[in-house]
């Protein structure tokens, strides 16, 4: 460990920033070589006569600048200027252009929508000629227009195995909005919400924005562990559990039916509302939603974003009768109502079979890309259901997730590290999520997968942070 002590004389601004600036200068002038182990937070604080918190903040600032990196039990090391980081998980990154020179984006999960594109003009012309356009440009009831709700009920029964009625279906602006209104209906800021220890990034963002206390529950290869869920209910008194039992995001596992029943029984015992996200349910028709087991305590949410079109932003929430007024009030507060023109397009596609054709095209494409991935990547690294639109890549030793994300970025591929999905300060595994359907073609996906495979075989890069 180095005895490095920065000279802070003459530096303006907050102390933590002055320490980070001194680190940057030391790396630039060569006095701090890459791989140098820095003093502990407490040791440096003692030398400088500042609080440990100031050093912690300084190291965090330096890490944000990609100057240093550390790991519990090992220490903090100089990394020097590293390649630019991948975009934030929730930032919009355009899909790669087939044959283009830009990076291959494999961070996002989106459907193949060529059939939808071909049908859109015809549908919009039919709407314009129908005499309904004026009605569709006005306000709608908060829960949605009756015929849109009826189409949603038909879709849910056909593609997701949920038997429901139009009166129980509430229209939302995609699944993210459905999650928001469900949470707003059952919880208040400060309330505890449970989720899988690795969960949908969208839920993490919602919890932070709306002020919920999000707690992670341990998972295994079958999803949430019942004993861990029971313990969390006893200790924390949660209002709700959010979960994705079918093709979990990010691990792509499918929860067995027996465990679904067990989770529902525990939730009923403690009075916990289940918020079941089933956006991928259309991919696994024999996986019956928890809503079919416990409809009275489950708010079921899904959308067309993974099956038909991400851009339509049409979602559905199936809500128990006693919670429906609260969910409808949340819709009114957060969005007033779902947009009627996209809902009309979606409803017409559901009624005339276009949506089913798009979903079937998506299923075929997902299976093909999974087969492609499993033919290119080492079989022992690939986890998740073979029908998923993404896969969970568990990194072999000595790879660390942050270094692997940077290495694939250097090779022109963007993936998402496991830490983006970790709830709270829970440790994240050394794994990444790979979105298989964001690249525009299978050839483009294959190029990205080969770059990922090549990265796995680059041990020198894997050791970069522990020189």
């Amino acid at each position: 460990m180095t005895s490095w002590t920065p000279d802070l004389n003459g530096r303006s601004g907050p102390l933590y920033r002055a320490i980070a600036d001194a680190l940057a200068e030391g790396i630039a002038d060569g006095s701090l070589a890459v791989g140098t182990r820095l003093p502990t937070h407490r040791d440096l604080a003692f030398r400088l006569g500042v609080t440990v918190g100031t050093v912690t903040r300084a190291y965090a600032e330096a890490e944000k600048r990609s100057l240093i990196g550390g790991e519990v039990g090992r220490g903090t090391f100089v990394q020097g200027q590293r390649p630019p980081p991948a975009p934030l998980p929730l930032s919009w990154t355009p899909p790669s252009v087939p044959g283009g020179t830009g990076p291959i984006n494999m961070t996002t999960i989106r459907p193949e929508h060529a059939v939808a594109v071909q049908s859109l003009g015809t549908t919009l012309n039919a709407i314009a000629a129908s005499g309904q356009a004026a009605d569709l440009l006005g306000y709608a009831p908060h829960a949605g227009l009756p015929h849109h709700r009826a189409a949603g009920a038909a879709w849910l029964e056909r593609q997701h195995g949920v038997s429901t009625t139009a009166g129980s279906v509430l229209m939302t602006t995609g699944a993210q909005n459905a999650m928001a209104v469900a949470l707003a209906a059952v919880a208040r800021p400060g309330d505890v919400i449970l989720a899988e220890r690795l969960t949908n990034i969208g839920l993490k963002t919602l919890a932070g924005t709306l002020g919920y206390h999000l707690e992670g529950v341990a998972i295994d290869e079958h999803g949430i562990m019942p004993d861990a869920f029971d313990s969390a209910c006893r200790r924390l008194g949660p209002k709700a559990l959010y979960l994705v039992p079918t093709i979990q995001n990010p691990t792509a596992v499918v929860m067995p039916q027996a465990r679904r029943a067990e989770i529902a029984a525990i939730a009923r015992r403690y009075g916990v509302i289940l918020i079941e996200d089933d956006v991928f349910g259309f991919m696994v028709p024999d996986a019956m939603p928890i809503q079919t087991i416990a409809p009275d305590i489950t708010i079921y949410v899904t959308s067309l974003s993974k099956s038909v079109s991400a851009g339509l932003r049409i979602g559905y929430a199936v809500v128990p009768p006693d919670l429906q007024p609260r969910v409808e009030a949340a819709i009114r507060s957060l969005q007033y109502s779902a947009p009627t023109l996209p809902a009309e397009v979606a409803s017409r596609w559901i009624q005339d079979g276009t949506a089913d054709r798009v979903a079937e095209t998506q299923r075929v494409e997902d299976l093909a890309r999974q087969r492609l991935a499993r033919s290119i990547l080492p079989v022992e690294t690939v986890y998740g259901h073979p029908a998923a639109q993404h896969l969970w890549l568990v990194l072999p030793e000595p790879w660390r997730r942050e270094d692997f994300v940077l290495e694939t970025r250097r090779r022109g591929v963007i993936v998402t590290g496991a830490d983006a999905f970790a709830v709270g300060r829970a440790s994240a595994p050394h794994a990444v999520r790979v979105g298989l359907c964001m690249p525009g073609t299978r050839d483009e996906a294959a190029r990205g997968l080969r770059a990922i495979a090549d990265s796995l075989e680059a041990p020198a890069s894997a050791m970069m942070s522990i020189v």
Side-chain angles (χ1 to χ4, degrees), residues 197-198 392 394-395 401 417-419 422 426-432:
R197 185 174 68 88
L198 298 170
W392 190 237
V394 177
L395 303 174
R401 60 187 174 273
D419 50 321
S427 61
H430 292 295
V432 298

Side-chain angles (χ1 to χ4, degrees), residues 86-459:
L88 292 172
L90 286 178
S91 64
W92 184 81
T93 305
S96 54
V97 177
T101 58
I104 299 173
N105 181 6
M106 303 186 84
T107 63
T108 307
I109 304 172
R110 71 166 179 88
E112 166 59 45
H113 51 211
V115 176
V117 171
Q118 294 165 9
S119 303
L120 184 59
T122 301
T123 304
L124 291 174
N125 286 334
I127 291 171
S130 68
Q132 294 180 291
D135 294 335
L136 295 174
L137 294 177
Y139 287 114
H142 306 307
L145 291 170
H147 71 285
H148 293 165
R149 298 169 71 183
W155 175 258
L156 296 179
E157 182 165 4
R158 216 155 64 215
Q159 292 286 345
H160 292 264
V162 175
S163 295
T164 188
T165 63
S168 296
V169 175
L170 280 64
M171 303 293 298
T172 68
T173 309
Q176 180 81 5
N177 176 245
M179 291 157 51
V181 299
L183 288 168
V186 301
R188 297 290 177 266
D191 285 342
V192 173
I193 304 296
L194 301 180
E196 293 113 331
R197 185 174 68 88
L198 298 170
T199 193
N200 180 359
I201 294 171
L203 176 71
K204 293 177 61 177
T205 306
L206 278 175
T209 300
L210 300 178
Y212 304 125
H213 180 70
L214 192 62
E215 286 281 345
V217 181
I219 57 177
D220 61 14
E221 71 274 16
H222 300 304
I224 279 187
M225 299 172 67
D227 288 350
F229 178 40
D230 188 285
S231 175
C233 289
R234 281 189 285 104
R235 291 183 295 105
L236 301 171
K239 295 293 184 180
L241 165 67
Y242 167 88
L243 74 168
V244 187
T246 301
I247 305 186
Q248 199 266 347
N249 187 6
T251 63
V253 303
V254 175
M255 183 182 289
Q257 292 299 130
R259 183 170 293 191
R260 296 178 189 227
E262 198 171 355
I263 294 297
I266 294 169
R268 191 182 301 283
R269 186 183 314 143
Y270 290 99
V272 175
I273 296 296
L274 298 174
I275 300 176
E276 179 181 17
D277 187 336
D278 196 40
V279 291
F280 301 113
F282 76 102
M283 291 298 306
V284 190
D286 59 343
M288 298 306 295
I290 294 176
Q291 191 272 346
T292 64
I293 301 170
D296 58 317
I297 60 169
T298 304
I299 299 177
Y300 172 94
V301 302
T302 191
S303 76
L304 302 182
S305 296
K306 309 303 182 187
S307 55
V308 178
S309 169
L312 281 179
R313 307 307 305 143
I314 293 302
Y316 306 101
V318 180
V319 183
D322 60 325
L323 289 176
Q324 188 162 330
R326 290 157 62 181
V327 175
E328 194 166 336
I331 291 174
R332 178 180 181 177
S333 298
L334 294 176
Q335 68 185 50
Y336 193 84
S337 64
T340 50
L341 184 56
E344 181 68 18
V345 172
S347 298
R348 287 177 179 244
W349 284 356
I350 290 168
Q351 291 162 349
D352 68 16
T354 298
D356 295 282
R357 291 194 297 275
V358 177
E360 180 57 27
T361 299
Q362 183 60 47
R363 280 189 283 265
V364 171
E365 189 64 23
D366 292 345
L367 289 167
R369 295 202 183 199
Q370 280 281 349
R371 287 193 295 269
L372 181 66
R374 291 160 195 260
S375 72
I376 294 173
L377 299 173
V379 64
E380 68 275 10
T381 66
V382 178
Y383 287 78
H385 195 277
Q389 295 176 10
H390 64 284
L391 60 81
W392 190 237
L393 190 73
V394 177
L395 303 174
E397 292 282 358
W399 275 114
R400 301 196 310 165
R401 60 187 174 273
E402 57 268 35
D403 293 324
F404 190 77
V405 169
L406 288 169
E407 176 63 19
T408 57
R409 175 77 175 186
R410 188 182 70 79
R411 294 172 183 264
V413 180
I414 313 173
V415 295
T416 308
D419 50 321
F421 306 98
V423 174
R425 301 184 69 179
S427 61
H430 292 295
V432 298
R433 191 189 75 177
V434 180
L436 298 176
C437 292
M438 190 64 174
T441 66
R442 291 182 199 175
D443 285 345
E444 198 80 3
R447 284 206 303 114
L449 290 164
R450 282 192 288 270
I452 291 172
D454 290 344
S455 297
L456 288 170
E457 296 179 0

